[in-house]
Amino acid sequence: MSLLLRVLTADPPLDPSGDEAHSLLRRELAHPEYHDGNLFLRLLDWLDRELNGLIDSAADTPPLSAFAAIVAFLLLGLALAWLLSRARRTARAAARPGPVVEDSTVTAAQLRASAERALAEGRNGAALVDGFRALTVRQVERGRLDDRPGATAREVAGALASTYPDQQVPVSSSAALFDAVRYGDRPATRDQAADVLALDDALAGHR
């Protein structure tokens, strides 16, 4: 309420204008510090400082006009903060690793065939993902890996590293690539996809 009373009793005009305030807000939000920490609280703190400056510099504009401009400025900032916060939450949710195998009825041979077909067609990301899935299911079929529905790539890599200690590095690397491509929307190269398929072959032939 104290902020509203200050606005209604001040003698504006606002300096800067509404358009200039919008431009200032856009430039402020482009600063990297708004992408770290609590974005919403940082923006509110900046808006509070800017609004106090506008109120203190008011001189000639009627109070109601000043009040309307300040409210519009504040609402714009809150809307942008909400959109940016939602975008960050969505990005974090999308990047959270999920299960390796989503269809428990698919076989290793089917997944391997799908991976090889994708690689031949230049769909490197799909080839890498299905290749790691084929590797996982094959090890389950061979009894070298427990059948754990919903297991993540990191969990699969941890189990396989214990079973195949000499393959720990390529297994961990392949698991990280799987998460990055499948859940992080990262692109994959042909060599990366081919390496996962080669690892499947190496583990399948391991005694």
Side-chain angles (χ1 to χ4, degrees), residues 34-165:
Y34 288 103
H35 300 281
D36 300 313
N38 193 320
L39 177 65
F40 185 73
L41 292 180
R42 286 173 178 268
L43 182 57
L44 282 182
D45 182 64
W46 178 79
L47 283 171
D48 182 63
R49 295 196 306 269
E50 292 298 316
L51 286 172
N52 284 332
L54 289 175
I55 292 168
D56 292 339
S57 64
D60 299 324
T61 301
L64 288 180
S65 297
F67 175 73
I70 291 174
V71 168
F73 183 73
L74 179 59
L75 290 177
L76 174 63
L78 294 177
L80 287 173
W82 179 80
L83 289 173
L84 290 172
S85 297
R86 182 175 180 181
R88 290 187 63 192
R89 287 195 300 269
T90 300
R92 285 196 297 268
R96 188 177 299 119
V100 173
V101 180
E102 298 168 348
D103 182 358
S104 60
T105 65
V106 70
T107 67
Q110 291 171 330
L111 287 167
R112 179 59 185 252
S114 177
E116 290 176 346
R117 184 167 54 252
L119 188 63
E121 295 172 354
R123 294 182 291 114
N124 301 325
L128 188 148
V129 168
D130 280 346
F132 191 81
R133 286 173 172 163
L135 179 158
T136 301
V137 174
R138 193 180 315 283
Q139 293 305 306
V140 171
E141 293 174 349
R142 297 184 69 207
R144 298 296 186 93
L145 187 65
D146 291 338
D147 187 4
R148 295 177 53 194
T152 65
R154 178 173 300 201
E155 292 169 340
V156 169
L160 290 178
S162 298
T163 304
Y164 305 104

